[in-house]
Amino acid sequence: MEREEAYRKITELRNELEEHNYCYYVLNQPVISDFEFDMKLKELEKLEAGFPEFTGPNSPTQRVGSDSTSNFEQVEHKYAMLSLSNAYSEGEIADFDNRIRKIINTGFEYVCELKFDGSSISLTYKNGRLARAVTRGDGVRGDDVTQNVRTIKSIPLQLRGNDFPGEFEIRGEIVMPFSVFNELNAELEQAGEQLLANPRNTAAGTLKMKNPKIVASRKLDSYFYYILGKDLPFDEHFESLQKAREWGFKVSDATEICKNLDEVFAFLKKWDTARQQLPVATDGVVIKVNSKHLQDNLGFTAKSPRWAIAYKFKAENVSTVLNSVSYQVGRTGAVTPVANLVPVQIAGTIVKRASLHNADIIQNLGLHLGDTVYVEKGGEIIPKITGVDTAKRNPMFQPVKFIDNCPECGTKLIRTEGEAAFYCPNEDGCPPQIKGKMEHFVSRKAMDIDGLGEETIELLYGQGLAKNITELYELKKDQLANLERMGEKSAQRILDGLEASKKVPFERVLFALGIRFVGETVAKTLTKKLHNIENIQSAKKEELTEIDEIGERIADSVAGWFSKEENRQCVQKLKEAGLQFQISGEKLLGSTEKLAGLNIIISGTFNHYSRDELKEMIEQNGGKNVGSISKNTSYVLAGKNMGPGKLEKANQFGVKIISEDEFLKMLE
Ligand code: IVH
């Protein structure tokens, strides 16, 4: 085939297939059969293979996802992704309405929408093409998950029509339909694997999966509700949603203009029950001022817009029977009781287990085995038991008695005064605790060992190849390559990862050891003050508490950890393996006390350095990077797009605002 003809055919097929995707996934009105669709897709694949110069990331053939691993680059949001303030009653919505009326004297309308319970996403379109997809992250920076998002069929790769702005962002929710979620769980159950908690977490987890092909197979869906950009061609939010729909986005039909509070309340009432028929999870209604102009007048507080509020539906409450209670030991040794229930359907998913949190909760509920209990599914990961129907209790039912010994290793459990949880004290001999320590050791913020995650640790520990962190450094290639679902390549990746970890700076190694209460910040402080492991190991409790921010609890834990022979041996072995156990010369030389005693908050985006780099510089020079503005804040280090709420607060507390250049001058 001639190049020109191929190009024409490829373009034609692409448009046709995208149109069918739109009809099927957005409108729910398929025009052709799945078979016909597949035939056309195959034809396009073939043509693209013959003329690779015409393939592109936005072709429908790319929606199946490639097998290559995605690495999620952290990127800064152009506009921060804020959250919404919540309301739980009509009264709170009336308060919201009153607050608005104090600022706005003209008449106005609301738009009511469903609040989709998924994972929020921000998409950037340039010239009608999907350019970037970023997760919410911490609201300021998120993960670039474009490759995965391209596999979601209801998201347009190329927009329809021609009246869209050259560049804009659109925000929405990535959701996993109940049907897909329940199917996935049924498969996991068959395989005897741990079940997924809920569609929201599964959608979020799927978006962050490294293999886009698996993401494609997970059949995620999407709903969009907010457009941002410069010079947008509409004055009303409702209109913007209609436009988004025309351009090819999935916008919920359950979107209505409400002229007054009564109409808002009617919408809430209707959807409180109607939502049970929807294919995806919703957890409330978002009420927004319709006029964009009035939205701008109302502006934002530090965390959320003043022009919108989220009304949360009351959690669905269902009764079922308590079969038994089992006990799980976490990585810290805390023992959590879990209720095993006669399966019931709540909010679209089947519930078989509920968390009981701790012994006090069992006692307060007065639980007996066989009891009829009320189960509620709120925002939590696993549902909880909220009450017992004692009228249905049979006199033969026995009270639930909390176990005395660890279900994993048999050690007698202990409970510290004032703490709710029972602990297994056998830190170094109890399997979930050891595995937990190993997982923490290899995790991203600790040693960040490529190729080693929860599953591999489970395998290594289960096969007896590594029973603690030091043994990871004794692993041989053939041992790894022989493991299930592992090959030469993955084995080499792990060995390379372990080798690379020998360069990880001391403060992260210290954090990776998993000493209780020694988090990232404490590890940094200890490193900065005491410089090497020998000094930390030999420091008396009094010496430790003299250090700023190290209190009794941390000092006890550190001194206690090093008093154990096996821990000292662990350090010795890691030292022999070549890990860093002293502060790097560079850090030692580079560190100053120029910002000692100063609390600095970072806000916005910067020209020369990333926020992480600036944070590092503050700490390196003896200052403290803080998260929110208070009267104790010394400076706001402000870049572009500093949040309006922060600005307001800085003025309120009289905190000085400095630019990146002024900050750099302070360090000169
Ligand atoms: S509007 C500036 N509309 O809820 C506010 N958010 O708690 C923009 N969400 O982060 C958000 N459905 O992930 C909006 N119809 C809807 C929504 C919605 C779900 C999520 C979104 C947001 C969170 C706020």
Side-chain angles (χ1 to χ4, degrees):
M1 193 186 289
E2 292 288 320
R3 270 185 96 238
E4 221 164 276
E5 198 195 335
Y7 180 72
R8 193 187 49 74
K9 188 79 194 146
I10 285 177
T11 316
E12 191 184 299
L13 275 169
R14 270 190 198 168
N15 290 343
E16 208 181 325
L17 285 165
E18 273 305 88
E19 185 65 22
H20 288 308
N21 257 331
Y22 175 73
C23 293
Y24 189 101
Y25 292 102
V26 180
L27 302 181
N28 265 332
Q29 287 163 354
V31 176
I32 58 171
S33 70
D34 290 0
F35 177 75
E36 281 172 287
F37 184 91
D38 286 345
M39 286 296 114
K40 284 183 194 293
L41 190 68
K42 283 223 168 75
E43 192 184 344
L44 177 59
E45 267 169 2
K46 223 165 133 191
L47 277 170
E48 286 184 347
F51 297 88
E53 65 271 39
F54 299 141
T55 45
N58 286 335
S59 165
T61 54
Q62 303 303 304
R63 288 197 186 269
V64 290
S66 81
D67 252 332
S68 70
T69 336
S70 327
N71 278 319
F72 305 117
E73 198 195 333
Q74 281 247 317
V75 286
E76 221 144 293
H77 289 293
K78 193 161 171 190
Y79 311 95
M81 279 182 94
L82 301 175
S83 57
L84 294 168
S85 51
N86 291 326
Y88 297 90
S89 64
E90 291 189 356
E92 284 173 88
I93 295 173
D95 292 344
F96 161 73
D97 184 66
N98 278 330
R99 283 197 296 276
I100 295 179
R101 284 177 199 284
K102 274 195 190 133
I103 306 177
I104 287 173
N105 312 321
T106 60
F108 64 92
E109 306 167 328
Y110 289 114
V111 176
C112 285
E113 298 163 18
L114 288 177
K115 185 167 186 299
F116 291 96
D117 195 13
S119 188
S120 37
I121 195 83
S122 189
L123 309 180
T124 306
Y125 282 80
K126 288 188 182 158
N127 301 320
R129 294 211 171 85
L130 173 65
R132 201 172 83 163
V134 185
T135 61
R136 180 172 193 276
D138 61 3
V140 177
R141 318 168 110 237
D143 286 317
D144 183 332
V145 290
T146 316
Q147 277 208 57
N148 285 347
V149 163
R150 283 209 172 94
T151 69
I152 303 173
K153 307 275 196 351
S154 58
I155 291 184
L157 301 178
Q158 164 75 54
L159 301 184
R160 305 160 62 79
N162 52 17
D163 59 344
F164 41 76
E167 182 172 339
F168 68 95
E169 274 188 52
I170 185 161
R171 296 205 170 147
E173 211 76 0
I174 305 293
V175 292
M176 175 171 278
F178 289 129
S179 57
V180 181
F181 175 79
N182 287 333
E183 207 175 292
L184 252 171
N185 256 352
E187 278 167 26
L188 288 172
E189 186 166 32
Q190 272 238 314
E193 295 197 29
Q194 193 166 2
L195 299 191
L196 299 159
N198 57 39
R200 176 189 359 112
N201 289 16
T202 316
T206 304
L207 264 188
K208 300 279 274 289
M209 285 176 113
K210 295 217 161 193
N211 185 336
K213 207 161 197 159
I214 304 182
V215 181
S217 75
R218 289 262 179 118
K219 300 183 197 136
L220 293 173
D221 203 350
S222 62
Y223 288 91
F224 288 86
Y225 44 68
Y226 187 32
I227 301 184
L228 294 120
K230 271 201 219 129
D231 308 322
L232 296 175
F234 22 71
D235 306 321
E236 290 183 341
H237 174 65
F238 191 78
E239 193 190 344
S240 76
L241 295 181
Q242 308 312 312
K243 277 281 168 218
R245 194 180 274 138
E246 281 172 34
W247 297 336
F249 296 100
K250 195 158 176 174
V251 174
S252 167
D253 292 328
T255 304
E256 278 176 35
I257 293 186
C258 293
K259 295 212 159 47
N260 51 49
L261 276 189
D262 284 340
E263 289 186 14
V264 170
F265 296 155
F267 185 94
L268 301 183
K269 194 153 175 240
K270 172 168 137 195
W271 283 104
D272 196 4
T273 45
R275 72 189 180 108
Q276 287 167 21
Q277 313 306 324
L278 294 174
V280 297
T282 51
D283 61 344
V285 166
V286 183
I287 304 152
K288 302 175 181 171
V289 169
N290 191 16
S291 154
K292 289 254 171 206
H293 168 72
L294 295 182
Q295 286 187 1
D296 290 343
N297 283 357
L298 288 161
F300 294 82
T301 68
K303 280 198 250 135
S304 51
R306 285 200 191 84
W307 44 264
I309 197 161
Y311 170 79
K312 291 288 198 85
F313 292 130
K314 284 193 190 58
E316 221 179 300
N317 206 313
V318 171
S319 76
T320 184
V321 170
L322 173 69
N323 273 339
S324 62
V325 176
S326 41
Y327 297 85
Q328 287 175 347
V329 185
R331 40 189 77 175
T332 58
V335 178
T336 316
V338 179
N340 300 307
L341 308 163
V342 170
V344 271
Q345 171 122 352
I346 318 181
T349 59
I350 296 154
V351 170
K352 294 180 182 152
R353 288 145 62 83
S355 171
L356 285 165
H357 298 290
N358 58 47
D360 291 346
I361 299 218
I362 296 182
Q363 186 126 45
N364 292 344
L365 285 166
L367 269 191
H368 286 53
L369 291 178
D371 267 349
T372 294
V373 292
Y374 296 108
V375 183
E376 188 177 291
K377 201 156 175 237
E380 302 79 16
I381 294 187
I382 11 184
K384 61 178 180 213
I385 294 185
T386 53
V388 181
D389 186 350
T390 44
K392 294 215 173 110
R393 181 174 294 155
N394 179 317
M396 302 294 283
F397 290 174
Q398 292 298 312
V400 174
K401 190 179 166 299
F402 205 90
I403 48 170
D404 295 317
N405 294 75
C406 174
E408 298 279 345
C409 69
T411 307
K412 191 155 176 48
L413 302 179
I414 53 164
R415 191 183 208 181
T416 319
E417 271 279 315
E419 280 195 35
F422 275 95
Y423 281 90
C424 165
N426 185 15
E427 268 183 70
D428 306 308
C430 180
Q433 296 192 59
I434 303 172
K435 280 185 274 181
K437 281 205 188 79
M438 292 170 75
E439 281 161 20
H440 167 75
F441 183 80
V442 302
S443 66
R444 198 168 61 83
K445 289 190 167 172
M447 303 303 284
D448 193 16
I449 298 173
D450 203 20
L452 278 183
E454 207 170 309
E455 270 174 47
T456 323
I457 294 286
E458 180 74 47
L459 268 176
L460 291 172
Y461 184 84
Q463 306 272 324
L465 294 179
K467 292 185 295 312
N468 53 47
I469 52 179
T470 58
E471 290 183 6
L472 291 174
Y473 290 91
E474 292 159 18
L475 287 168
K476 302 275 172 307
K477 190 165 177 183
D478 55 342
Q479 289 179 317
L480 288 165
N482 285 333
L483 284 172
E484 211 182 306
R485 274 178 293 178
M486 183 91 69
E488 288 263 324
K489 235 174 154 180
S490 321
Q492 190 56 48
R493 189 162 147 226
I494 294 175
L495 290 182
D496 292 346
L498 284 162
E499 193 54 38
S501 77
K502 295 178 184 169
K503 294 207 170 67
V504 165
F506 175 43
E507 68 261 26
R508 272 172 51 199
V509 178
L510 184 59
F511 168 62
L513 292 177
I515 304 170
R516 216 164 164 216
F517 308 127
V518 180
E520 280 177 281
T521 318
V522 172
K524 272 187 195 163
T525 310
L526 287 170
T527 307
K528 217 154 61 181
K529 294 288 173 201
L530 298 172
H531 300 174
N532 59 41
I533 197 89
E534 290 77 18
N535 290 345
I536 298 177
Q537 185 165 326
S538 60
K540 297 260 160 4
K541 189 177 152 189
E542 303 72 55
E543 275 173 74
L544 291 169
T545 45
E546 266 171 31
I547 302 173
D548 226 12
E549 285 168 47
I550 307 284
E552 294 262 327
R553 198 177 62 139
I554 301 174
D556 271 337
S557 174
V558 173
W561 196 87
F562 283 104
S563 73
K564 283 193 183 163
E565 175 57 26
E566 57 270 32
N567 289 338
R568 288 198 301 267
Q569 266 182 24
C570 163
V571 168
Q572 186 54 35
K573 282 198 181 139
L574 292 177
K575 246 192 225 171
E576 284 160 15
L579 270 59
Q580 302 295 321
F581 277 101
Q582 60 179 9
I583 190 168
S584 74
E586 229 173 281
K587 279 234 166 85
L588 197 55
L589 286 175
S591 72
T592 76
E593 292 295 313
K594 284 182 184 158
L595 306 177
L598 298 181
N599 294 326
I600 303 179
I601 183 165
I602 307 177
S603 180
T605 58
F606 298 86
N607 292 334
H608 303 297
Y609 294 97
S610 73
R611 295 162 64 96
D612 279 345
E613 282 165 340
L614 290 168
K615 178 172 182 224
E616 180 79 31
M617 284 155 82
I618 294 174
E619 286 168 355
Q620 180 88 354
N621 290 286
K624 203 168 142 194
N625 174 224
V626 291
S628 60
I629 302 181
S630 70
K631 61 178 187 334
N632 298 325
T633 311
S634 324
Y635 294 106
V636 179
L637 170 49
K640 273 189 294 215
N641 299 325
M642 170 180 173
K646 289 229 170 84
L647 185 62
E648 200 176 289
K649 261 205 159 155
N651 289 335
Q652 183 189 336
F653 289 113
V655 177
K656 191 168 176 211
I657 297 176
I658 52 168
S659 68
E660 188 180 14
D661 288 338
E662 283 171 301
F663 172 74
L664 295 176
K665 276 220 179 79
M666 286 167 77
L667 300 184
E668 268 169 15

